[in-house]
Amino acid sequence: MKREKYILFILVVWSILILPFAGMAFWATNETSENKELAAFPKFDTENLLEQKYLHELGVYFEDHFAFRPYLVTANAFVHSHLLKSSTTNQVIPGTDDWLYFHGTLSDYQGKNLFTERENFAILHNLHLIQQYVQAQGSQFFLMIPPNKNTLYDENMPYYLKKGEDSNLKRLTKRFQEEGIADVGLYERFAKEPDTLYFKRDSHWTAKGARLGYELLMEKTGLPFASYAHTPYTMEPVHEGDLDKMLYPKAVQKEADAVYEKEPTFTYVNAVENNMAEWIETENTNKTGSILMYRDSFGESLIPFVADAFGKGYFTRLVPYNLLQVEQYQPDIVVIEKVERNLDDFITDIPIVEPPQTENIQTAKEAVCAEVSAEKAGSFLKITGELAQANIQPDTEIYVAITDLQTNTTKTYETFYTTSQHRDAGGYQLYIRGSSLPSTGTIRCDVLAVDKEYARIIAKTEMTF
């Protein structure tokens, strides 16, 4: 009898171990709530087997697709977070009192990887160019930066993760005010709000947070708007947190969120499944005015409030921003909504628009020390390059001069500034409309670096169209 118990025990353990693999024939995992793309089945190549690391790739495929994966992942995560006080995914930080935080905000929270002087200069410069362009088209421009959750609510962060004294958001918020960037000021206002405006098990704001963001925006525009401050609402368990889905895919706890009694009157012009669609167009026959919003996932709950306040609404998640839409739709209001953790997007995702021309610059000397590249991008000429840190100052300005070699006429453009792994380097990028270039012949492209003391040519090339 004792021997039979041992055999039964071995069979049970063996069945449990083999089930995730054998079960793939019938219950393979082909969908995930995690923020990742599932591995594809590796291609077998007998001639290059070792170099392709086929067995490793096969193991990665199994890790993503084994049977009952969501249930087993949930059980494992529960044990780690509740008993071992750790996380099974590098995307989620379990806090106290069942709070979850997005790991991608940790460097901001701890004040690490602060922007260099050059990066701060570049972000402010790029936002100035965007704001100037929007205003030149006759629209108002506003910037909305929702803070990271642990920027506002850090009391439930793990004790061993210490909050830094400084952050990129703190530094830039001050600079926005000093340099005239039309920031709505979410950080300062949200920090004073006694109510909790973010979900415990999600990285985003609640309906109350989105409502307050909407009202702060509308106050800045100076336009009349409907306030929800005294609108009745009920708290209903309707929200499933993104962090909750990542950590416990089969044990998500629905959180209560405010459901306002006021029914919106706008309608969707295009067919959309939900407010995470890449392009959303709305209409409200009861209202006037129009708004174009470049937004991220925080816009999902913001859209219903904003769309209800305007006759026409245009909302896009596509990057880089296509600022030509400002010319196309001629909105009264243009908004960029960008969460704190992605502030570096302003120096990595350069908007599609031709920057302004400036007066031609007299160069004191020529010191070619960098390369410039140009390629056709749709109806634009895209020009990019980078100056080594040794050849620029933190506030060095970069321009591109295009000379028509047939007529010897020159147009000089401002550029958007970019960053790379060399964070103090002077990257630059710009789009020039095809209609702004000579229709025939050869042009010379000179890249100019302008410091307080002098201007110099630091890169040049010739190209024929």
Side-chain angles (χ1 to χ4, degrees):
M1 188 66 179
K2 191 174 182 180
R3 181 172 175 272
E4 292 175 349
K5 287 183 179 180
Y6 285 148
I7 293 175
L8 179 61
F9 176 77
I10 293 172
L11 289 175
V12 170
V13 172
W14 180 250
S15 299
I16 293 173
L17 294 175
I18 200 66
L19 184 61
F21 173 74
M24 290 178 67
F26 305 98
W27 305 289
T29 301
N30 295 315
E31 295 182 1
T32 180
S33 58
E34 299 170 70
N35 187 22
K36 61 179 288 187
E37 183 177 346
L38 296 180
F41 193 84
K43 183 179 179 181
F44 183 78
D45 188 343
T46 55
E47 295 181 359
N48 205 17
L49 180 59
L50 294 179
E51 288 189 17
Q52 287 196 352
K53 300 180 181 178
Y54 179 77
L55 292 179
H56 170 73
E57 294 175 359
L58 197 61
V60 172
Y61 176 82
F62 172 74
E63 290 175 5
D64 283 355
H65 295 271
F66 63 80
F68 309 112
R69 185 180 190 277
Y71 298 95
L72 296 174
V73 165
T74 299
N76 188 44
F78 185 87
V79 171
H80 275 75
S81 60
H82 288 79
L83 299 181
L84 305 178
K85 304 301 181 183
S86 62
S87 177
T88 55
T89 171
N90 58 8
Q91 298 187 77
V92 181
I93 300 173
T96 59
D97 195 25
D98 283 336
W99 277 64
L100 302 176
Y101 297 91
F102 181 48
H103 194 278
T105 64
L106 186 57
S107 61
D108 291 324
Y109 176 75
Q110 295 184 313
K112 297 180 179 179
N113 294 324
L114 295 174
F115 292 139
T116 65
E117 288 186 55
R118 180 66 191 178
E119 288 173 320
N120 279 317
F121 179 76
I123 289 173
L124 292 164
H125 169 83
N126 291 352
L127 286 172
H128 269 300
L129 288 186
I130 293 173
Q131 181 170 281
Q132 290 169 9
Y133 169 78
V134 169
Q135 292 173 344
Q137 300 303 314
S139 304
Q140 290 191 73
F141 172 79
F142 297 99
L143 178 66
M144 297 181 71
I145 303 178
N148 298 333
K149 185 166 76 172
N150 49 15
T151 294
L152 298 171
Y153 312 107
D154 63 322
E155 58 272 17
N156 290 296
M157 281 286 287
Y159 70 92
Y160 53 85
L161 298 175
K162 302 301 182 182
K163 189 173 186 176
E165 295 182 359
D166 206 353
S167 72
N168 290 319
L169 181 58
K170 286 182 181 179
R171 291 183 174 186
L172 284 172
T173 296
K174 182 180 179 181
R175 298 288 297 275
F176 293 153
Q177 296 171 350
E178 294 172 349
E179 303 193 21
I181 300 295
D183 176 32
V184 172
L186 299 184
Y187 171 52
E188 294 177 326
R189 178 63 181 83
F190 276 36
K192 299 175 182 178
E193 180 63 31
D195 290 341
T196 300
L197 304 176
Y198 283 56
F199 291 106
K200 292 176 63 172
R201 309 180 70 76
D202 192 286
S203 60
H204 299 87
W205 54 22
T206 62
K208 287 185 178 181
R211 187 217 82 199
L212 181 57
Y214 148 77
E215 291 178 348
L216 292 173
L217 169 64
M218 296 305 295
E219 287 174 4
K220 287 286 186 178
T221 68
L223 300 174
F225 67 96
S227 172
Y228 288 74
H230 303 292
T231 301
Y233 64 87
T234 56
M235 296 298 294
E236 300 180 16
V238 295
H239 186 79
E240 295 185 351
D242 57 353
L243 303 177
D244 210 0
K245 292 178 183 177
M246 290 182 197
L247 196 58
Y248 309 109
K250 287 301 179 179
V252 176
Q253 303 175 27
K254 286 194 174 182
E255 287 191 71
D257 197 12
V259 178
Y260 290 90
E261 294 183 9
K262 182 179 181 297
E263 289 291 333
T265 56
F266 75 91
T267 57
Y268 293 95
V269 175
N270 60 320
V272 296
E273 292 185 5
N274 53 52
N275 286 340
M276 288 297 285
E278 291 182 340
W279 174 258
I280 295 175
E281 188 173 341
T282 63
E283 185 175 42
N284 191 335
T285 57
N286 299 317
K287 300 293 174 61
T288 59
S290 57
I291 186 169
L292 169 61
M293 179 178 287
Y294 301 91
R295 54 92 180 195
D296 55 26
S297 55
F298 275 75
E300 181 181 13
S301 54
L302 184 63
I303 287 174
F305 295 104
V306 175
D308 211 44
F310 290 90
K312 290 282 189 180
Y314 310 95
F315 307 89
T316 177
R317 292 184 65 204
L318 298 173
V319 289
Y321 302 145
N322 182 3
L323 291 185
L324 299 182
Q325 292 167 334
V326 180
E327 297 181 33
Q328 179 181 358
Y329 297 108
Q330 290 293 300
D332 299 299
I333 308 295
V334 175
V335 177
I336 290 180
E337 178 270 305
K338 175 77 67 177
V339 68
E340 174 189 355
R341 62 178 177 265
N342 292 329
L343 283 170
D344 60 343
D345 287 355
F346 290 124
I347 43 178
T348 58
D349 296 326
I350 302 305
I352 301 172
V353 67
E354 182 178 279
Q357 292 186 43
T358 186
E359 293 183 1
N360 292 334
I361 299 171
Q362 297 296 321
T363 55
K365 63 178 181 178
E366 184 171 311
V368 177
C369 56
E371 295 184 356
V372 57
S373 63
E375 60 180 349
K376 187 175 181 181
S379 60
F380 288 89
L381 176 67
K382 180 181 177 181
I383 299 175
T384 59
E386 182 175 284
L387 286 65
Q389 179 182 352
N391 296 316
I392 64 166
Q393 301 298 319
D395 59 352
T396 297
E397 298 174 346
I398 302 173
Y399 300 84
V400 167
I402 302 295
T403 301
D404 182 347
L405 295 181
Q406 283 192 339
T407 62
N408 203 33
T409 56
T410 300
K411 295 179 181 179
T412 301
Y413 295 87
E414 295 199 53
T415 67
F416 286 91
Y417 302 155
T418 63
T419 187
S420 67
Q421 60 181 352
H422 307 292
R423 297 177 58 186
D424 280 319
Y428 59 91
Q429 180 177 313
L430 75 157
Y431 293 90
I432 301 179
R433 297 177 190 262
S435 58
S436 299
L437 298 168
S439 57
T440 59
T442 302
I443 64 171
R444 186 182 73 243
C445 173
D446 293 331
V447 182
L448 315 176
V450 179
D451 298 308
K452 294 178 181 179
E453 299 179 356
Y454 56 83
R456 57 216 155 94
I457 299 175
I458 46 80
K460 63 191 310 180
T461 187
E462 292 186 4
M463 58 196 78
T464 302
F465 295 90

